């Protein structure tokens, strides 16, 4: 059976070989193993194409067992968190309003074709008087679903987050339910093949900086000094890491406005409407039968006992954020 995946550039292929253990010759057999695994799991309803499956292999550095665990989690958490993976029609008026808030926006360019892609999260753009935090996460899942299928650079080289806390108020912070945040952490970390390469925090309120500083102390010595960066209110500090040529004008860059990029993403999500609706039909029927009702269901049976214990509580969601 021919592989239905895109060819990648020589530069990306070299990064994939060195950092992800990618071997084009073995890729065919590894994908067939995943297809066979899916056929044996009657509880997983809905299929993923080869391009998405190879994204999971790349996200797990071509460990088949880890890819199976991540895929099981992908179905499991999405079945349970219906408030963020259902009603995602990009033609729906309410969903369009959510998209246009521009809370999370991937930037189109990097300085080098093998740099991590950049994702700006503007927390203060979340208008909690018009929507819920789950609504904001919903748009994030829509964007991530398209990226993991279409953006080879982000899949292979990872992403860097710029988290802008400007205009964040106590009202914003009151929206963040702790139990829901833990589930979202599983969704974006354990169940996603996209890999984090660094976090840059801009305009943090004092309390946020204190909390993240404590969190930073949980990282290994290798990571703590170079993976989470506080820039205060300084765009000059941010620009030491990201060239002006790839930053929007709102961050002192030459790229154009974030609004323009948000509009482009609105069009892209509408173009991918059928794909997004198809993913909304993915289901782990074992979760459906048990019923989740907003609480964490039993972990997927495919997981090892260690992984089951480590992935679904405070330890799994906040104490083990992995940054490659």
């Amino acid at each position: 059976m021919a592989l239905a995946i895109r060819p990648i550039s020589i530069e990306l292929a070299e990064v994939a070989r060195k950092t992800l253990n990618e071997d084009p010759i073995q890729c065919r057999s590894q994908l067939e193993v995943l297809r066979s695994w899916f056929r044996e799991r009657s509880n997983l309803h809905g299929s993923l194409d080869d391009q998405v499956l190879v994204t999971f292999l790349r996200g797990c550095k071509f460990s088949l067992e880890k890819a199976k665990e991540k895929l099981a989690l992908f179905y499991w958490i999405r079945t349970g968190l219906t408030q963020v993976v259902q009603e995602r029609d990009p033609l729906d008026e309410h969903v369009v309003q959510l998209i246009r808030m521009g809370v999370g926006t991937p930037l189109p360019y990097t300085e080098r074709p093998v740099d991590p892609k950049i994702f700006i999260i503007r927390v203060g753009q979340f208008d909690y008087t018009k929507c819920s935090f789950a609504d904001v996460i919903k748009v994030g899942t829509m964007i991530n679903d398209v990226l993991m299928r279409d953006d080879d650079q982000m899949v292979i080289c990872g992403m860097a987050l710029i988290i802008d806390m400007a205009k964040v108020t106590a009202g914003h912070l009151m929206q963040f339910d702790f139990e829901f945040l833990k589930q979202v952490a599983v969704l974006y970390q354990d169940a996603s093949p996209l890999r984090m390469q660094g976090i840059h925090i801009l305009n943090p309120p004092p309390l946020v900086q204190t909390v993240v500083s404590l969190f930073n102390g949980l990282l290994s010595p290798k990571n703590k000094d170079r993976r989470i960066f506080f820039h205060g209110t300084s765009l000059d500090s941010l620009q030491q890491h990201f060239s002006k040529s790839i930053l929007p004008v709102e961050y002192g860059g030459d790229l154009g406005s974030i609004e323009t990029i948000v509009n482009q993403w609105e069009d892209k999500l509408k173009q991918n409407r059928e794909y997004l609706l198809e993913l909304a039909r993915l289901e782990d029927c074992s979760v459906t039968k048990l019923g989740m009702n907003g609480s964490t269901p039993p972990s997927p049976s495919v997981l090892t006992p260690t992984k089951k214990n480590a992935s679904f509580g405070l330890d799994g969601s906040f104490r083990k954020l992995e940054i490659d």
Side-chain angles (χ1 to χ4, degrees):
M1 184 183 296
L3 295 182
I5 60 175
R6 287 183 301 274
I8 56 177
S9 68
I10 294 174
E11 294 92 342
L12 286 180
E14 183 65 9
V15 173
R17 183 185 68 83
K18 287 183 176 180
T19 65
L20 305 181
N21 307 312
E22 183 163 345
D23 181 345
I25 296 176
Q26 294 184 8
C27 188
R28 183 187 306 273
S29 62
Q30 291 170 313
L31 282 172
E32 183 54 41
V33 169
L34 287 183
R35 293 191 201 104
S36 298
W37 176 78
F38 266 108
R39 288 193 291 268
E40 295 168 357
R41 299 197 65 77
S42 59
N43 61 303
L44 301 183
H45 293 181
S47 60
L48 298 171
D49 63 23
D50 283 351
Q51 189 65 59
V52 176
L53 290 180
V54 81
T55 293
F56 278 86
L57 285 170
R58 286 168 173 162
C60 297
K61 300 187 178 180
F62 283 83
S63 163
L64 278 168
E65 292 310 307
K66 290 181 179 178
K68 291 174 186 177
E69 289 188 346
K70 194 172 285 287
L71 282 162
L73 284 169
F74 184 76
Y75 278 76
W76 175 85
I77 193 70
R78 294 168 75 94
T79 304
L81 282 180
T82 55
Q83 65 267 50
V84 303
V85 293
Q86 298 299 323
E87 300 181 2
R88 301 194 310 170
D89 188 342
L91 297 182
D92 178 83
E93 181 178 349
H94 180 60
V95 175
V96 169
Q97 291 176 348
L98 298 174
I99 295 169
R100 289 176 180 172
M101 284 184 189
V103 176
T105 309
L107 299 187
Y109 307 115
T110 56
E111 287 189 80
R112 302 181 304 154
V114 295
D115 286 340
K117 296 296 287 287
I118 305 165
F119 207 116
I120 293 183
I121 298 176
R122 299 182 297 163
V123 183
Q125 293 296 115
F126 162 35
D127 187 345
Y128 58 85
T129 67
K130 297 181 179 178
C131 67
S132 68
F133 180 49
D135 286 331
V136 173
I137 299 301
K138 177 184 299 188
V139 175
T141 68
M142 294 169 69
I143 292 172
N144 276 19
D145 283 347
V146 173
L147 288 171
M148 73 177 188
R149 186 197 61 184
D150 290 354
D151 196 321
D152 294 321
Q153 183 180 347
M154 181 170 283
V155 170
I156 292 170
C157 303
M159 70 171 77
L161 293 184
I162 298 174
I163 302 177
D164 185 359
M165 306 292 289
K167 301 179 182 179
V168 170
T169 66
H172 288 98
L173 298 178
M174 290 294 291
Q175 307 303 310
F176 299 147
D177 175 77
F178 187 67
E179 288 301 317
F180 180 65
L181 279 174
K182 289 196 290 182
Q183 295 169 7
V184 169
V186 174
L187 173 70
Y188 280 117
Q189 178 179 286
D190 299 290
S192 172
L194 299 178
R195 296 156 43 247
M196 191 69 62
Q197 296 285 28
I199 300 174
H200 298 257
I201 299 176
L202 193 64
N203 300 310
L207 179 60
V208 172
Q209 182 155 345
T210 300
V211 170
V212 179
S213 294
L214 291 172
F215 165 76
N216 196 27
L218 298 173
L219 295 176
S220 68
K222 176 182 176 182
N223 286 336
K224 72 168 58 175
D225 294 328
R226 63 187 181 94
R227 300 298 189 175
I228 298 183
F229 304 89
F230 285 103
H231 300 286
T233 60
S234 173
L235 292 180
D236 289 339
S237 175
L238 184 69
Q239 290 162 10
Q240 290 176 15
H241 297 265
F242 304 105
S243 166
K244 288 184 178 182
S245 64
I246 61 174
L247 288 174
V249 293
E250 290 87 345
Y251 297 91
D254 307 321
L255 185 59
S257 70
I258 291 184
E259 181 180 5
T260 299
I261 303 170
V262 171
N263 290 339
Q264 292 169 350
W265 265 99
E266 179 183 341
D267 292 340
K268 187 165 187 174
L269 292 173
K270 288 177 178 177
Q271 292 163 10
N272 283 277
R273 177 175 182 263
E274 290 305 317
Y275 171 64
L276 293 169
L277 296 179
E278 180 183 346
L279 288 188
R281 292 190 284 269
L282 298 181
E283 181 183 36
D284 181 342
C285 65
S286 63
V287 175
T288 306
K289 290 177 181 178
L290 288 169
M292 187 171 178
N293 298 321
S295 60
T296 304
S299 52
S301 60
V302 71
L303 301 185
T304 63
T306 300
K307 187 72 174 179
K308 287 181 184 180
N309 293 334
S311 295
F312 301 102
L314 178 60
D315 289 346
S317 300
F318 292 99
R319 295 192 60 186
K320 58 178 282 291
L321 177 64
E322 294 176 0
I323 306 178
D324 282 345

